[in-house]
């Protein structure tokens, strides 16, 4: 499946895949029936950051007609690693674990599944995804979560983004605001179950953190990142995904030594 994603990428950027051999033709027709869904929020002054993190800033360097007659636009930007749609590299909560540039691409590109807990979290911003939420998925699909899956959790909270009061639980900022955070996340028990019983490549959620807002010790982060399972946070458009059999391409900014980075993540879904 990995090969087919790479082929699709090539076909998206190159004209001429429909030549030479039959295999290419088949893959082109296969990829032609796939839609690409953007799971990233854009970066702007509205981007949601952790309440203690430095927010996104865009400064115009130049915008307009130059003296030489051509148009020119360029900006500088600055951002914390952890804000908006981003990745947590294993080193974020695990000493000597992989930094963002060291995460193997094989973990970031591949087959994915989705766990839908929108019903359960709709009236409970402190909902914790439990083991049963995963075993229910397995019962419905008649098999365990496939090896090397990227597992996405849909809470429905991205519909509140970027309204901080609804999405984070508060629009206050600073150390005192951490206690005011309310949004769903993954229970440490379920994180432990995943790393001990299943073999997943990465995990993602449509809230600001894989641990829920009221977490004090960020145990799910520690459990997953220790096993070099990166986490994608502040995802969107998960409602447009099926629960099984789609592919993810998640490419973070390659910050050397980074504990995380802005993430462009897309899903390929058969139509
Ligand atoms: Zn993060």
């Amino acid at each position: 499946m990995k090969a087919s994603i790479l082929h699709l990428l090539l076909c998206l950027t190159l004209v001429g895949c429909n030549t030479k051999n039959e295999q290419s033709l088949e893959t082109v027709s296969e990829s032609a029936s796939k839609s690409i869904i953007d799971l990233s929020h854009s970066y702007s002054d509205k981007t949601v950051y952790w309440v203690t993190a430095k927010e996104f800033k865009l400064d115009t360097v130049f915008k307009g007609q130059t003296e030489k007659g051509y148009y020119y636009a360029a900006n500088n930007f600055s951002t914390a690693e952890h804000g908006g749609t981003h990745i947590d590299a294993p080193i974020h909560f695990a000493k000597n674990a992989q930094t963002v540039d060291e995460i193997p691409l094989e973990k970031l590109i591949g087959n994915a599944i989705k766990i839908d807990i929108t019903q359960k979290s709709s009236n409970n911003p402190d909902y914790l995804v439990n083991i049963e939420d995963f075993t229910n998925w397995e019962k419905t699909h008649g098999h365990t979560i496939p090896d090397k899956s990227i597992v996405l959790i849909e809470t429905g909270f991205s519909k509140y983004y970027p309204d901080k009061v609804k999405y984070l639980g508060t629009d206050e900022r600073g150390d005192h605001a951490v206690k005011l955070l309310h949004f769903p996340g993954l229970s440490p028990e379920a994180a432990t179950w995943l790393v001990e019983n299943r073999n997943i490549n990465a995990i993602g959620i449509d809230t600001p953190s894989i641990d829920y807002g009221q977490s004090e010790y960020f145990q799910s982060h520690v459990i997953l990142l220790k096993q070099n399972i990166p986490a994608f946070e502040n995802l969107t458009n998960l409602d447009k995904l099926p629960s099984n059999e789609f592919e993810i391409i998640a490419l973070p900014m390659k910050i050397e030594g980074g504990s995380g980075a802005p993430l462009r993540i897309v899903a390929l879904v058969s139509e």
Side-chain angles (χ1 to χ4, degrees):
M1 200 54 90
K2 245 180 284 160
S4 85
I5 295 178
L6 290 175
H7 192 89
L8 172 61
L9 282 175
L10 284 171
C11 291
L12 287 171
T13 49
L14 300 171
V15 183
C17 286
N18 56 344
T19 54
K20 299 273 193 290
N21 61 55
E22 271 179 44
Q23 209 184 348
S24 293
L25 279 172
E26 268 170 37
T27 316
V28 167
S29 59
E30 195 185 299
S31 48
S33 62
K34 286 192 176 170
S35 54
I36 303 170
I37 299 175
D38 194 346
L39 308 185
S40 287
H41 291 290
S42 55
Y43 278 89
S44 74
D45 56 3
K46 293 182 184 62
T47 298
V48 175
Y49 278 75
W50 198 247
V51 290
T52 53
K54 191 177 165 188
E55 296 177 292
F56 182 80
K57 195 161 175 281
L58 191 73
D59 293 314
T60 304
V61 174
F62 193 88
K63 189 180 181 182
Q65 211 67 21
T66 64
E67 285 175 358
K68 292 181 179 170
Y70 56 85
Y71 177 86
Y72 185 69
N75 307 302
N76 291 328
F77 70 86
S78 60
T79 174
E81 292 171 325
H82 302 271
T85 304
H86 71 281
I87 189 170
D88 282 3
I91 201 166
H92 189 35
F93 277 85
K95 194 179 177 187
N96 297 326
Q98 289 161 352
T99 53
V100 71
D101 54 314
E102 292 172 339
I103 300 170
L105 290 172
E106 288 75 11
K107 293 232 170 176
L108 304 175
I109 300 175
N111 292 330
I113 68 152
K114 180 185 80 171
I115 308 288
D116 179 358
I117 54 123
T118 51
Q119 298 276 334
K120 292 172 171 177
S121 59
S122 62
N123 292 316
N124 182 7
D126 297 325
Y127 185 76
L128 277 167
V129 178
N130 56 48
I131 297 168
E132 212 185 11
D133 291 318
F134 293 100
T135 54
N136 281 344
W137 183 97
E138 295 187 338
K139 271 180 211 150
T140 305
H141 291 86
H143 57 81
T144 55
I145 296 168
D147 275 2
K148 300 184 176 178
S149 288
I150 293 170
V151 175
L152 303 183
I153 298 166
E154 181 190 1
T155 70
F157 265 55
S158 71
K159 68 173 178 281
Y160 301 135
Y161 194 101
D163 181 330
K164 288 175 184 162
V165 172
K166 286 183 180 162
Y167 185 71
L168 286 171
T170 180
D171 57 1
E172 293 181 38
R173 287 181 52 76
D175 288 330
H176 77 281
V178 174
K179 285 198 182 79
L180 306 175
L181 295 170
H182 290 277
F183 51 79
L186 178 70
S187 72
E189 293 74 28
T192 301
W193 181 84
L194 275 175
V195 303
E196 288 182 356
N197 301 283
R198 299 292 179 266
N199 177 24
I200 69 168
N201 269 356
I203 196 159
I205 194 163
D206 57 351
T207 70
S209 169
I210 196 71
D211 277 287
Y212 78 147
Q214 286 289 288
S215 173
E216 281 187 72
Y217 300 103
F218 306 101
Q219 286 168 281
S220 294
H221 274 88
V222 173
I223 293 160
L224 293 160
L225 299 180
K226 246 189 193 171
Q227 302 298 322
N228 278 327
I229 298 169
F232 314 140
E233 294 169 334
N234 291 320
L235 300 180
T236 190
N237 287 331
L238 299 189
D239 58 320
K240 299 188 173 72
L241 302 178
S243 59
N244 200 10
E245 293 180 353
F246 61 97
E247 292 153 359
I248 286 291
I249 300 172
L251 296 176
M253 185 174 171
K254 195 175 177 182
I255 301 171
E256 200 170 304
S259 76
L263 176 70
R264 192 66 190 269
I265 176 170
V266 299
L268 306 179
V269 178
S270 299
E271 283 174 336

